[in-house]
PDB file of all heavy atoms in Angstrom:
ATOM      1  N   ARG A 119     -14.874  41.206  -4.718  1.00 90.00           N
ATOM      2  CA  ARG A 119     -15.793  40.181  -5.223  1.00 90.00           C
ATOM      3  C   ARG A 119     -17.117  40.790  -5.705  1.00 90.00           C
ATOM      4  O   ARG A 119     -17.782  40.235  -6.568  1.00 90.00           O
ATOM      5  CB  ARG A 119     -16.042  39.219  -4.066  1.00 90.00           C
ATOM      6  CG  ARG A 119     -17.064  38.161  -4.287  1.00 90.00           C
ATOM      7  CD  ARG A 119     -16.891  37.133  -3.160  1.00 90.00           C
ATOM      8  NE  ARG A 119     -17.895  37.266  -2.128  1.00 90.00           N
ATOM      9  CZ  ARG A 119     -19.083  36.668  -2.175  1.00 90.00           C
ATOM     10  NH1 ARG A 119     -19.402  35.908  -3.193  1.00 90.00           N
ATOM     11  NH2 ARG A 119     -19.942  36.801  -1.195  1.00 90.00           N
ATOM     12  N   TYR A 120     -17.514  41.916  -5.122  1.00 95.00           N
ATOM     13  CA  TYR A 120     -18.790  42.498  -5.493  1.00 95.00           C
ATOM     14  C   TYR A 120     -18.620  43.478  -6.650  1.00 95.00           C
ATOM     15  O   TYR A 120     -18.093  44.567  -6.458  1.00 95.00           O
ATOM     16  CB  TYR A 120     -19.403  43.246  -4.313  1.00 95.00           C
ATOM     17  CG  TYR A 120     -19.716  42.340  -3.135  1.00 95.00           C
ATOM     18  CD1 TYR A 120     -19.132  42.554  -1.883  1.00 95.00           C
ATOM     19  CD2 TYR A 120     -20.608  41.278  -3.275  1.00 95.00           C
ATOM     20  CE1 TYR A 120     -19.430  41.739  -0.805  1.00 95.00           C
ATOM     21  CE2 TYR A 120     -20.906  40.457  -2.207  1.00 95.00           C
ATOM     22  CZ  TYR A 120     -20.330  40.701  -0.968  1.00 95.00           C
ATOM     23  OH  TYR A 120     -20.628  39.891   0.081  1.00 95.00           O
ATOM     24  N   ASN A 124     -20.737  40.701 -12.093  1.00 93.00           N
ATOM     25  CA  ASN A 124     -21.327  39.453 -11.611  1.00 93.00           C
ATOM     26  C   ASN A 124     -22.626  39.710 -10.828  1.00 93.00           C
ATOM     27  O   ASN A 124     -23.037  38.905 -10.022  1.00 93.00           O
ATOM     28  CB  ASN A 124     -20.324  38.644 -10.781  1.00 93.00           C
ATOM     29  CG  ASN A 124     -19.790  39.423  -9.594  1.00 93.00           C
ATOM     30  OD1 ASN A 124     -20.196  40.553  -9.353  1.00 93.00           O
ATOM     31  ND2 ASN A 124     -18.902  38.823  -8.835  1.00 93.00           N
ATOM     32  N   PHE A 125     -23.244  40.815 -11.131  1.00 96.00           N
ATOM     33  CA  PHE A 125     -24.536  41.125 -10.521  1.00 96.00           C
ATOM     34  C   PHE A 125     -25.611  40.929 -11.575  1.00 96.00           C
ATOM     35  O   PHE A 125     -25.625  41.593 -12.606  1.00 96.00           O
ATOM     36  CB  PHE A 125     -24.545  42.565 -10.003  1.00 96.00           C
ATOM     37  CG  PHE A 125     -25.760  42.911  -9.189  1.00 96.00           C
ATOM     38  CD1 PHE A 125     -25.842  42.575  -7.837  1.00 96.00           C
ATOM     39  CD2 PHE A 125     -26.844  43.565  -9.768  1.00 96.00           C
ATOM     40  CE1 PHE A 125     -26.964  42.888  -7.084  1.00 96.00           C
ATOM     41  CE2 PHE A 125     -27.975  43.881  -9.016  1.00 96.00           C
ATOM     42  CZ  PHE A 125     -28.028  43.542  -7.676  1.00 96.00           C
ATOM     43  N   ILE A 126     -26.498  39.980 -11.331  1.00 96.00           N
ATOM     44  CA  ILE A 126     -27.514  39.650 -12.337  1.00 96.00           C
ATOM     45  C   ILE A 126     -28.722  40.567 -12.152  1.00 96.00           C
ATOM     46  O   ILE A 126     -29.191  40.755 -11.038  1.00 96.00           O
ATOM     47  CB  ILE A 126     -27.967  38.195 -12.198  1.00 96.00           C
ATOM     48  CG1 ILE A 126     -26.749  37.249 -12.224  1.00 96.00           C
ATOM     49  CG2 ILE A 126     -28.972  37.833 -13.280  1.00 96.00           C
ATOM     50  CD1 ILE A 126     -25.970  37.260 -13.509  1.00 96.00           C
ATOM     51  N   VAL A 127     -29.175  41.109 -13.275  1.00 96.00           N
ATOM     52  CA  VAL A 127     -30.282  42.064 -13.209  1.00 96.00           C
ATOM     53  C   VAL A 127     -31.579  41.423 -13.711  1.00 96.00           C
ATOM     54  O   VAL A 127     -31.576  40.696 -14.700  1.00 96.00           O
ATOM     55  CB  VAL A 127     -29.969  43.303 -14.076  1.00 96.00           C
ATOM     56  CG1 VAL A 127     -31.050  44.352 -13.908  1.00 96.00           C
ATOM     57  CG2 VAL A 127     -28.615  43.869 -13.693  1.00 96.00           C
ATOM     58  N   PHE A 130     -36.835  42.429 -10.599  1.00 93.00           N
ATOM     59  CA  PHE A 130     -36.927  42.672  -9.149  1.00 93.00           C
ATOM     60  C   PHE A 130     -35.894  43.674  -8.641  1.00 93.00           C
ATOM     61  O   PHE A 130     -36.070  44.255  -7.564  1.00 93.00           O
ATOM     62  CB  PHE A 130     -36.770  41.348  -8.381  1.00 93.00           C
ATOM     63  CG  PHE A 130     -35.356  40.819  -8.383  1.00 93.00           C
ATOM     64  CD1 PHE A 130     -34.612  40.842  -7.205  1.00 93.00           C
ATOM     65  CD2 PHE A 130     -34.775  40.316  -9.522  1.00 93.00           C
ATOM     66  CE1 PHE A 130     -33.303  40.370  -7.190  1.00 93.00           C
ATOM     67  CE2 PHE A 130     -33.475  39.834  -9.523  1.00 93.00           C
ATOM     68  CZ  PHE A 130     -32.741  39.869  -8.343  1.00 93.00           C
ATOM     69  N   ASN A 131     -34.816  43.870  -9.384  1.00 95.00           N
ATOM     70  CA  ASN A 131     -33.784  44.781  -8.888  1.00 95.00           C
ATOM     71  C   ASN A 131     -33.346  45.814  -9.933  1.00 95.00           C
ATOM     72  O   ASN A 131     -32.341  46.497  -9.756  1.00 95.00           O
ATOM     73  CB  ASN A 131     -32.561  43.998  -8.389  1.00 95.00           C
ATOM     74  CG  ASN A 131     -31.932  43.165  -9.481  1.00 95.00           C
ATOM     75  OD1 ASN A 131     -32.256  43.301 -10.660  1.00 95.00           O
ATOM     76  ND2 ASN A 131     -31.004  42.292  -9.101  1.00 95.00           N
ATOM     77  N   GLY A 156     -34.419  46.439   0.881  1.00 89.00           N
ATOM     78  CA  GLY A 156     -34.927  45.128   0.476  1.00 89.00           C
ATOM     79  C   GLY A 156     -34.596  44.101   1.548  1.00 89.00           C
ATOM     80  O   GLY A 156     -33.783  44.373   2.428  1.00 89.00           O
ATOM     81  N   GLY A 157     -35.218  42.944   1.459  1.00 84.00           N
ATOM     82  CA  GLY A 157     -35.047  41.905   2.478  1.00 84.00           C
ATOM     83  C   GLY A 157     -33.644  41.335   2.522  1.00 84.00           C
ATOM     84  O   GLY A 157     -32.800  41.688   1.682  1.00 84.00           O
ATOM     85  N   VAL A 158     -33.385  40.482   3.478  1.00 84.00           N
ATOM     86  CA  VAL A 158     -32.020  39.945   3.631  1.00 84.00           C
ATOM     87  C   VAL A 158     -31.664  39.043   2.460  1.00 84.00           C
ATOM     88  O   VAL A 158     -32.505  38.312   1.927  1.00 84.00           O
ATOM     89  CB  VAL A 158     -31.822  39.134   4.930  1.00 84.00           C
ATOM     90  CG1 VAL A 158     -31.748  40.023   6.120  1.00 84.00           C
ATOM     91  CG2 VAL A 158     -32.908  38.080   5.082  1.00 84.00           C
ATOM     92  N   GLY A 159     -30.387  39.107   2.114  1.00 90.00           N
ATOM     93  CA  GLY A 159     -29.846  38.205   1.108  1.00 90.00           C
ATOM     94  C   GLY A 159     -30.317  38.475  -0.298  1.00 90.00           C
ATOM     95  O   GLY A 159     -30.286  37.598  -1.146  1.00 90.00           O
ATOM     96  N   LEU A 160     -30.725  39.709  -0.564  1.00 93.00           N
ATOM     97  CA  LEU A 160     -31.236  39.982  -1.910  1.00 93.00           C
ATOM     98  C   LEU A 160     -30.315  40.885  -2.728  1.00 93.00           C
ATOM     99  O   LEU A 160     -30.697  41.341  -3.798  1.00 93.00           O
ATOM    100  CB  LEU A 160     -32.649  40.586  -1.809  1.00 93.00           C
ATOM    101  CG  LEU A 160     -33.702  39.586  -1.331  1.00 93.00           C
ATOM    102  CD1 LEU A 160     -35.041  40.243  -1.090  1.00 93.00           C
ATOM    103  CD2 LEU A 160     -33.863  38.441  -2.331  1.00 93.00           C
ATOM    104  N   GLY A 161     -29.128  41.170  -2.215  1.00 96.00           N
ATOM    105  CA  GLY A 161     -28.151  41.841  -3.054  1.00 96.00           C
ATOM    106  C   GLY A 161     -27.873  43.306  -2.749  1.00 96.00           C
ATOM    107  O   GLY A 161     -27.222  43.981  -3.539  1.00 96.00           O
ATOM    108  N   LYS A 162     -28.324  43.796  -1.589  1.00 96.00           N
ATOM    109  CA  LYS A 162     -28.074  45.200  -1.274  1.00 96.00           C
ATOM    110  C   LYS A 162     -26.575  45.462  -1.129  1.00 96.00           C
ATOM    111  O   LYS A 162     -26.024  46.374  -1.753  1.00 96.00           O
ATOM    112  CB  LYS A 162     -28.793  45.613   0.028  1.00 96.00           C
ATOM    113  CG  LYS A 162     -30.293  45.429  -0.024  1.00 96.00           C
ATOM    114  CD  LYS A 162     -30.950  45.882   1.270  1.00 96.00           C
ATOM    115  CE  LYS A 162     -30.551  45.045   2.477  1.00 96.00           C
ATOM    116  NZ  LYS A 162     -30.994  43.657   2.433  1.00 96.00           N
ATOM    117  N   THR A 163     -25.935  44.671  -0.288  1.00 97.00           N
ATOM    118  CA  THR A 163     -24.514  44.878  -0.059  1.00 97.00           C
ATOM    119  C   THR A 163     -23.724  44.705  -1.348  1.00 97.00           C
ATOM    120  O   THR A 163     -22.835  45.497  -1.664  1.00 97.00           O
ATOM    121  CB  THR A 163     -24.016  43.904   1.020  1.00 97.00           C
ATOM    122  OG1 THR A 163     -24.723  44.164   2.231  1.00 97.00           O
ATOM    123  CG2 THR A 163     -22.527  44.064   1.267  1.00 97.00           C
ATOM    124  N   HIS A 164     -24.091  43.704  -2.106  1.00 97.00           N
ATOM    125  CA  HIS A 164     -23.398  43.478  -3.378  1.00 97.00           C
ATOM    126  C   HIS A 164     -23.478  44.716  -4.270  1.00 97.00           C
ATOM    127  O   HIS A 164     -22.477  45.203  -4.777  1.00 97.00           O
ATOM    128  CB  HIS A 164     -24.026  42.252  -4.065  1.00 97.00           C
ATOM    129  CG  HIS A 164     -23.295  41.798  -5.297  1.00 97.00           C
ATOM    130  ND1 HIS A 164     -23.068  40.473  -5.588  1.00 97.00           N
ATOM    131  CD2 HIS A 164     -22.714  42.496  -6.298  1.00 97.00           C
ATOM    132  CE1 HIS A 164     -22.413  40.387  -6.741  1.00 97.00           C
ATOM    133  NE2 HIS A 164     -22.178  41.611  -7.189  1.00 97.00           N
ATOM    134  N   LEU A 165     -24.692  45.226  -4.418  1.00 98.00           N
ATOM    135  CA  LEU A 165     -24.890  46.361  -5.304  1.00 98.00           C
ATOM    136  C   LEU A 165     -24.154  47.613  -4.809  1.00 98.00           C
ATOM    137  O   LEU A 165     -23.484  48.304  -5.574  1.00 98.00           O
ATOM    138  CB  LEU A 165     -26.399  46.642  -5.402  1.00 98.00           C
ATOM    139  CG  LEU A 165     -26.881  47.584  -6.467  1.00 98.00           C
ATOM    140  CD1 LEU A 165     -26.391  47.143  -7.842  1.00 98.00           C
ATOM    141  CD2 LEU A 165     -28.410  47.664  -6.474  1.00 98.00           C
ATOM    142  N   ASP A 219     -24.100  50.834   5.047  1.00 97.00           N
ATOM    143  CA  ASP A 219     -24.932  49.647   4.846  1.00 97.00           C
ATOM    144  C   ASP A 219     -25.809  49.375   6.068  1.00 97.00           C
ATOM    145  O   ASP A 219     -25.371  49.571   7.203  1.00 97.00           O
ATOM    146  CB  ASP A 219     -23.999  48.450   4.587  1.00 97.00           C
ATOM    147  CG  ASP A 219     -24.645  47.375   3.713  1.00 97.00           C
ATOM    148  OD1 ASP A 219     -25.844  47.498   3.397  1.00 97.00           O
ATOM    149  OD2 ASP A 219     -23.933  46.421   3.330  1.00 97.00           O
ATOM    150  N   ASP A 220     -27.002  48.929   5.842  1.00 95.00           N
ATOM    151  CA  ASP A 220     -27.917  48.465   6.905  1.00 95.00           C
ATOM    152  C   ASP A 220     -28.230  49.525   7.959  1.00 95.00           C
ATOM    153  O   ASP A 220     -28.065  49.289   9.167  1.00 95.00           O
ATOM    154  CB  ASP A 220     -27.344  47.210   7.585  1.00 95.00           C
ATOM    155  CG  ASP A 220     -27.396  46.001   6.671  1.00 95.00           C
ATOM    156  OD1 ASP A 220     -28.432  45.825   6.013  1.00 95.00           O
ATOM    157  OD2 ASP A 220     -26.404  45.249   6.618  1.00 95.00           O
ATOM    158  N   ILE A 289     -28.897  33.570 -11.981  1.00 95.00           N
ATOM    159  CA  ILE A 289     -27.967  33.813 -10.873  1.00 95.00           C
ATOM    160  C   ILE A 289     -27.171  32.538 -10.588  1.00 95.00           C
ATOM    161  O   ILE A 289     -25.951  32.554 -10.446  1.00 95.00           O
ATOM    162  CB  ILE A 289     -28.720  34.284  -9.619  1.00 95.00           C
ATOM    163  CG1 ILE A 289     -29.243  35.715  -9.841  1.00 95.00           C
ATOM    164  CG2 ILE A 289     -27.808  34.239  -8.378  1.00 95.00           C
ATOM    165  CD1 ILE A 289     -30.110  36.263  -8.729  1.00 95.00           C
ATOM    166  N   ALA A 292     -24.517  31.992 -13.145  1.00 92.00           N
ATOM    167  CA  ALA A 292     -23.371  32.884 -12.965  1.00 92.00           C
ATOM    168  C   ALA A 292     -22.502  32.412 -11.807  1.00 92.00           C
ATOM    169  O   ALA A 292     -21.273  32.420 -11.889  1.00 92.00           O
ATOM    170  CB  ALA A 292     -23.863  34.300 -12.724  1.00 92.00           C
ATOM    171  N   LYS A 293     -23.129  31.989 -10.727  1.00 93.00           N
ATOM    172  CA  LYS A 293     -22.369  31.538  -9.549  1.00 93.00           C
ATOM    173  C   LYS A 293     -21.593  30.250  -9.863  1.00 93.00           C
ATOM    174  O   LYS A 293     -20.509  30.040  -9.345  1.00 93.00           O
ATOM    175  CB  LYS A 293     -23.294  31.274  -8.358  1.00 93.00           C
ATOM    176  CG  LYS A 293     -24.129  32.456  -7.956  1.00 93.00           C
ATOM    177  CD  LYS A 293     -23.388  33.375  -7.026  1.00 93.00           C
ATOM    178  CE  LYS A 293     -24.168  34.663  -6.826  1.00 93.00           C
ATOM    179  NZ  LYS A 293     -23.382  35.756  -6.332  1.00 93.00           N
ATOM    180  N   ASN A 316     -34.390  34.173  -1.161  1.00 87.00           N
ATOM    181  CA  ASN A 316     -33.145  34.668  -0.638  1.00 87.00           C
ATOM    182  C   ASN A 316     -31.988  34.189  -1.521  1.00 87.00           C
ATOM    183  O   ASN A 316     -31.747  32.983  -1.636  1.00 87.00           O
ATOM    184  CB  ASN A 316     -33.032  34.114   0.790  1.00 87.00           C
ATOM    185  CG  ASN A 316     -31.843  34.654   1.524  1.00 87.00           C
ATOM    186  OD1 ASN A 316     -30.791  34.907   0.932  1.00 87.00           O
ATOM    187  ND2 ASN A 316     -31.979  34.843   2.821  1.00 87.00           N
ATOM    188  N   ILE A 317     -31.291  35.133  -2.115  1.00 93.00           N
ATOM    189  CA  ILE A 317     -30.206  34.761  -3.028  1.00 93.00           C
ATOM    190  C   ILE A 317     -29.036  34.186  -2.251  1.00 93.00           C
ATOM    191  O   ILE A 317     -28.329  33.297  -2.731  1.00 93.00           O
ATOM    192  CB  ILE A 317     -29.786  35.980  -3.882  1.00 93.00           C
ATOM    193  CG1 ILE A 317     -30.973  36.396  -4.745  1.00 93.00           C
ATOM    194  CG2 ILE A 317     -28.584  35.676  -4.744  1.00 93.00           C
ATOM    195  CD1 ILE A 317     -30.809  37.702  -5.481  1.00 93.00           C
ATOM    196  N   ARG A 318     -28.871  34.649  -1.028  1.00 90.00           N
ATOM    197  CA  ARG A 318     -27.791  34.091  -0.216  1.00 90.00           C
ATOM    198  C   ARG A 318     -28.036  32.600   0.051  1.00 90.00           C
ATOM    199  O   ARG A 318     -27.119  31.799   0.039  1.00 90.00           O
ATOM    200  CB  ARG A 318     -27.648  34.869   1.086  1.00 90.00           C
ATOM    201  CG  ARG A 318     -26.408  34.454   1.862  1.00 90.00           C
ATOM    202  CD  ARG A 318     -26.234  35.270   3.136  1.00 90.00           C
ATOM    203  NE  ARG A 318     -25.997  36.673   2.841  1.00 90.00           N
ATOM    204  CZ  ARG A 318     -26.618  37.666   3.444  1.00 90.00           C
ATOM    205  NH1 ARG A 318     -27.524  37.428   4.367  1.00 90.00           N
ATOM    206  NH2 ARG A 318     -26.344  38.911   3.130  1.00 90.00           N
ATOM    207  N   GLU A 321     -27.254  30.626  -3.020  1.00 92.00           N
ATOM    208  CA  GLU A 321     -25.813  30.472  -3.117  1.00 92.00           C
ATOM    209  C   GLU A 321     -25.310  29.451  -2.088  1.00 92.00           C
ATOM    210  O   GLU A 321     -24.424  28.661  -2.361  1.00 92.00           O
ATOM    211  CB  GLU A 321     -25.179  31.846  -2.854  1.00 92.00           C
ATOM    212  CG  GLU A 321     -23.817  31.992  -3.439  1.00 92.00           C
ATOM    213  CD  GLU A 321     -23.300  33.427  -3.347  1.00 92.00           C
ATOM    214  OE1 GLU A 321     -24.001  34.312  -2.791  1.00 92.00           O
ATOM    215  OE2 GLU A 321     -22.184  33.649  -3.834  1.00 92.00           O
ATOM    216  N   PHE A 439     -17.033  30.705   5.160  1.00 84.00           N
ATOM    217  CA  PHE A 439     -18.393  30.975   4.687  1.00 84.00           C
ATOM    218  C   PHE A 439     -19.150  29.642   4.547  1.00 84.00           C
ATOM    219  O   PHE A 439     -20.264  29.479   5.049  1.00 84.00           O
ATOM    220  CB  PHE A 439     -18.295  31.693   3.334  1.00 84.00           C
ATOM    221  CG  PHE A 439     -19.605  32.037   2.707  1.00 84.00           C
ATOM    222  CD1 PHE A 439     -20.330  33.138   3.133  1.00 84.00           C
ATOM    223  CD2 PHE A 439     -20.121  31.271   1.678  1.00 84.00           C
ATOM    224  CE1 PHE A 439     -21.538  33.469   2.557  1.00 84.00           C
ATOM    225  CE2 PHE A 439     -21.331  31.590   1.085  1.00 84.00           C
ATOM    226  CZ  PHE A 439     -22.032  32.692   1.526  1.00 84.00           C
TER     227      PHE A 439
HETATM  228  P1  LIG M   1     -28.082  41.733   1.348  1.00 55.24           P
HETATM  229  O1  LIG M   1     -27.013  42.750   1.601  1.00 55.24           O
HETATM  230  O2  LIG M   1     -29.278  42.290   0.655  1.00 55.24           O
HETATM  231  O3  LIG M   1     -28.468  40.954   2.569  1.00 55.24           O
HETATM  232  P2  LIG M   1     -26.032  40.500  -0.250  1.00 55.24           P
HETATM  233  O4  LIG M   1     -25.663  41.632  -1.135  1.00 55.24           O
HETATM  234  O5  LIG M   1     -25.117  40.170   0.853  1.00 55.24           O
HETATM  235  O6  LIG M   1     -27.514  40.665   0.324  1.00 55.24           O
HETATM  236  O7  LIG M   1     -26.258  39.232  -1.186  1.00 55.24           O
HETATM  237  C1  LIG M   1     -26.222  37.903  -0.714  1.00 55.24           C
HETATM  238  C2  LIG M   1     -25.472  37.024  -1.679  1.00 55.24           C
HETATM  239  O8  LIG M   1     -26.195  36.914  -2.892  1.00 55.24           O
HETATM  240  C3  LIG M   1     -24.113  37.591  -2.041  1.00 55.24           C
HETATM  241  O9  LIG M   1     -23.190  36.551  -2.127  1.00 55.24           O
HETATM  242  C4  LIG M   1     -24.346  38.229  -3.394  1.00 55.24           C
HETATM  243  O10 LIG M   1     -23.176  38.180  -4.189  1.00 55.24           O
HETATM  244  C5  LIG M   1     -25.451  37.390  -3.981  1.00 55.24           C
HETATM  245  N1  LIG M   1     -26.333  38.170  -4.835  1.00 55.24           N
HETATM  246  C6  LIG M   1     -27.352  38.950  -4.444  1.00 55.24           C
HETATM  247  N2  LIG M   1     -27.967  39.518  -5.488  1.00 55.24           N
HETATM  248  C7  LIG M   1     -27.318  39.070  -6.589  1.00 55.24           C
HETATM  249  C8  LIG M   1     -27.482  39.297  -7.990  1.00 55.24           C
HETATM  250  N3  LIG M   1     -28.457  40.080  -8.458  1.00 55.24           N
HETATM  251  N4  LIG M   1     -26.621  38.681  -8.827  1.00 55.24           N
HETATM  252  C9  LIG M   1     -25.664  37.890  -8.355  1.00 55.24           C
HETATM  253  N5  LIG M   1     -25.464  37.623  -7.056  1.00 55.24           N
HETATM  254  C10 LIG M   1     -26.268  38.212  -6.172  1.00 55.24           C
END
Side-chain angles (χ1 to χ4, degrees):
R119 174 166 103 87
Y120 297 120
N124 58 2
F125 188 82
I126 307 297
V127 186
F130 73 109
N131 61 11
V158 286
L160 290 174
K162 301 181 295 295
T163 299
H164 187 139
L165 192 55
D219 209 354
D220 289 317
I289 289 175
K293 303 276 171 199
N316 186 325
I317 297 171
R318 189 177 295 133
E321 203 171 2
F439 180 79

